[in-house]
Amino acid sequence: MILAKVQTSAKQRDEFRLLVAIRFACLMAVTKGHQNPMDCPRVQQRCNDLVKHLAYNHPSPAFHKQFFGHAGELGNSFSLRFTEPKQGLHGSITVWCNDQAPNNVHQLMPAPQAAH
């Protein structure tokens, strides 16, 4: 997880700062009663800050590997996914609570069959 490792470059430190800001905003959103952290204006603003940063700066290899095109951990409670822009500079970020994911996955799994 990118938040648990020592950041060795200025680029990684910038990404770390932005990710910590998003994670903290998510924790505050859940505390305030938001089911989905993306419903909170503070989380949206922090995500926009990261989107702007990525529009004008290449991501570090660690960030690219963890968050581009698939979900990466944002602490134990949240996941983040960065989707690259199809055109233009700005991609999109989605953040969600990990405790919501098992319910979604469970619905997709077929019911176990009884052994004969």
Side-chain angles (χ1 to χ4, degrees):
M1 182 177 80
I2 203 166
L3 293 176
K5 296 180 181 175
V6 174
Q7 310 308 316
T8 57
S9 69
K11 184 182 293 189
Q12 288 177 327
R13 285 188 290 276
D14 289 342
E15 292 166 354
F16 177 81
R17 180 183 54 80
L18 292 164
L19 289 170
V20 168
I22 292 170
R23 183 169 184 264
F24 184 72
C26 289
L27 290 169
M28 294 301 294
V30 169
T31 302
K32 290 183 177 184
H34 291 283
Q35 291 289 337
N36 181 357
M38 290 300 291
D39 293 339
C40 177
R42 181 176 293 187
V43 173
Q44 292 173 12
Q45 180 58 47
R46 300 299 187 271
C47 289
N48 287 337
D49 292 345
L50 180 57
V51 166
K52 288 176 190 173
H53 173 77
L54 294 172
Y56 298 104
N57 300 284
H58 290 283
S60 67
F63 186 92
H64 192 278
K65 182 179 178 184
Q66 186 166 359
F67 297 110
F68 272 57
H70 59 276
E73 288 183 352
L74 189 62
N76 294 330
S77 304
F78 304 100
S79 292
L80 181 143
R81 177 188 175 122
F82 180 79
T83 305
E84 293 185 78
K86 293 192 181 343
Q87 56 184 191
L89 291 174
H90 301 287
S92 64
I93 290 180
T94 307
V95 180
W96 63 91
C97 291
N98 288 339
D99 61 352
Q100 295 171 348
N103 294 333
N104 296 337
V105 172
H106 177 72
Q107 293 172 0
L108 297 175
M109 300 287 293
Q113 297 180 1
H116 293 95

